[in-house]
Amino acid sequence: MKFTRNEADTFVPESALAPADALKRTTHLCIAAHQDDIEIMAYQGIAACFGRDDKWFSGVVVTNGAGSPRSGPYKDYTDEAMQGIRRREQRKAAYVGDYSIQFQLAHPSAAVKNPTDAGVQADLAAILAGCAPEVVYLHQPADKHDTHIAVLSHSLKALRALPAERRPKKVIGCEVWRDLDWMCDTDKHALDTGAHPNIGASLVGVFDSQITGGKRYDLATAGRRLANATYHTSHATDVYDGINWAMDLTPLVENPEYSISEYTLAHIDRFRQDVADRIKKFS
């Protein structure tokens, strides 16, 4: 499969399998902005497929990783050198997580943040043409990272362009750079992250350039998952060992005319009303 960027990378952990075959068997697909986003936001899908031969997880990283913060042993690395490090780390994660296939499309963030960039759209269309996933994991639309929102927008355009019968049954918006704990419980989609805790820890842990480089994503990710599970309900014991909160984005794919902004703001409006009603009840 040829992509628009010469630096794009395709990795199949099961080396004897052709990329087209590895893509075709995908049942769970994550499209994310950066290396390590997949492992933070879509672990529920990774775990659901791990060790199975009837379910397969595949990942897509859209950007090249050049702009990542760095310190310690990585502080003097050039953008080009950092891209190579991050590419190798993402391959390690795909191997540890037993992914079916891992794509790294290598687009610069500036290009990704261009809503009309034809390269991003063409690459995502090519991937979606080769698979029919049941579940797709995307960034959530209340995220505060511009590149995450840009990738979400490109992804929704690509999914909406599919014939109705080929669209995934479930599209889920996942938390990374803004938690979704604020949503009303009736709106929350709970992603169980408690399975295979050793694999979950290892997947985030392989990104040494980020962790040693100054961002403890390994500890923060584990902490958020545990906190979400513990603070889920106040009058019941914990049901899950870990949770990532998510927003159901399926209606945005089923109805291409549905405004992403209006859909997201409706969640905020319901949260606002919930807070107002609770305060009023005891005032």
Side-chain angles (χ1 to χ4, degrees):
M1 185 177 295
K2 185 171 176 59
F3 295 112
T4 58
R5 305 285 304 184
N6 291 333
E7 314 93 301
D9 182 67
T10 299
F11 175 60
V12 180
E14 190 178 333
S15 58
L17 191 66
D21 294 330
L23 176 60
K24 184 178 181 180
R25 68 183 183 180
T26 300
T27 58
H28 294 63
L29 177 71
C30 179
I31 305 174
H34 307 102
Q35 290 86 357
D36 79 11
D37 284 343
I38 291 172
E39 292 68 32
I40 292 171
M41 64 191 266
Y43 180 65
Q44 186 264 351
I46 298 169
C49 299
F50 189 79
R52 303 281 296 261
D53 57 11
D54 60 336
K55 294 183 179 181
W56 292 95
F57 182 90
S58 295
V60 180
V61 173
V62 176
T63 68
N64 60 19
S68 59
R70 62 205 76 160
S71 64
Y74 300 95
K75 65 183 178 64
D76 296 325
Y77 275 49
T78 64
D79 281 353
E80 183 175 330
M82 185 56 68
Q83 288 178 57
I85 290 289
R86 300 211 72 188
R87 187 181 302 116
R88 289 194 293 274
E89 289 174 339
Q90 188 61 56
R91 279 182 163 227
K92 290 178 185 177
Y95 187 84
V96 170
D98 200 21
Y99 300 1
S100 191
I101 193 167
Q102 173 68 63
F103 298 105
Q104 299 185 70
L105 303 180
H107 290 277
S109 288
V112 173
K113 287 185 279 192
N114 178 356
T116 61
D117 188 276
V120 176
Q121 291 293 311
D123 289 349
L124 293 179
I127 291 169
L128 291 172
C131 62
E134 299 171 11
V135 184
V136 173
Y137 302 86
L138 304 177
H139 290 290
Q140 55 94 359
D143 194 291
K144 65 179 180 179
H145 196 306
D146 283 354
T147 311
H148 288 194
I149 298 302
V151 169
L152 166 68
S153 180
H154 285 298
S155 301
L156 286 174
K157 289 175 183 176
L159 289 166
R160 286 169 160 181
L162 292 171
E165 66 274 11
R166 292 198 63 250
R167 293 172 190 159
K169 296 176 183 177
K170 182 68 70 175
V171 181
I172 302 170
C174 310
E175 56 188 0
V176 179
W177 280 110
R178 186 172 275 137
D179 293 354
L180 289 173
D181 180 65
W182 56 267
M183 289 199 305
C184 295
D185 284 352
T186 51
D187 285 333
K188 288 177 182 173
H189 192 92
L191 302 180
D192 181 2
T193 60
H196 307 291
N198 56 316
I199 300 298
S202 298
L203 284 170
V204 182
V206 302
F207 294 93
D208 184 68
S209 67
Q210 303 303 288
I211 296 168
T212 304
K215 299 292 286 185
R216 291 309 304 263
Y217 291 123
D218 54 341
L219 300 181
T221 299
R224 176 160 62 187
R225 291 171 180 171
L226 176 59
N228 284 345
T230 298
Y231 288 106
H232 176 24
T233 54
S234 59
H235 291 76
T237 56
D238 296 351
V239 175
Y240 300 101
D241 293 324
I243 290 176
N244 278 147
W245 292 123
M247 185 185 295
D248 183 9
L249 303 183
T250 313
L252 292 174
V253 176
E254 292 176 339
N255 181 4
E257 302 303 316
Y258 206 156
S259 163
I260 301 172
S261 176
E262 288 181 9
Y263 183 74
T264 308
L265 291 176
H267 285 74
I268 296 173
D269 289 342
R270 288 191 289 275
F271 168 66
R272 181 181 184 276
Q273 190 61 52
D274 181 76
V275 172
D277 290 345
R278 202 175 307 276
I279 293 172
K280 182 179 180 180
K281 184 165 57 174
F282 299 104
S283 296

